[in-house]
Amino acid sequence: MATLSLTILSAKPTKAGKFPILIRVSVKNDKEYIKTEYQLDDACQWYNGKVVARNDATMMNKQLIYELKNTKNVCSILTTTIVILPNN
């Protein structure tokens, strides 16, 4: 089963110098990233998987948790669909 979590890559800012918030999908030893629409101005605004030191940190964290839950639901639907499909 895949493990999903929120993260930023502090070593890879955008050309504008912002840090996109990503959903990390881990399966065994493989990791892939799904980019969200949210970005931070500075890497220090991210701590232990949450947005901090911003006026809108609480609202942004709620929106990120909502996106993470939606992504988990999609993953579970895909897993269920793949298992149910008959072999042809």
Side-chain angles (χ1 to χ4, degrees), residues 43-86:
C44 69
Q45 294 176 336
W46 187 257
Y47 182 73
N48 283 345
K50 294 192 186 247
V51 178
V52 295
R54 286 178 59 115
N55 292 337
D56 61 345
T58 304
M59 183 56 74
M60 190 179 272
N61 283 323
K62 286 180 183 180
Q63 292 169 340
L64 288 167
I65 289 170
Y66 178 76
E67 279 208 30
L68 189 63
K69 285 181 182 179
N70 281 344
T71 307
K72 284 182 182 179
N73 288 339
V74 168
C75 284
S76 67
I77 289 170
L78 288 174
T79 304
T80 305
T81 305
I82 292 169
V83 171
I84 293 174
L85 290 175

Side-chain angles (χ1 to χ4, degrees), residues 22-52:
L22 308 164
I23 297 174
R24 181 177 61 211
V25 182
S26 303
V27 179
K28 296 183 182 177
N29 289 333
D30 295 329
K31 293 180 185 131
E32 295 294 328
Y33 298 94
I34 302 171
K35 190 173 182 180
T36 66
E37 63 183 272
Y38 303 100
Q39 296 185 355
L40 300 175
D41 298 325
D42 194 355
C44 69
Q45 294 176 336
W46 187 257
Y47 182 73
N48 283 345
K50 294 192 186 247
V51 178
V52 295

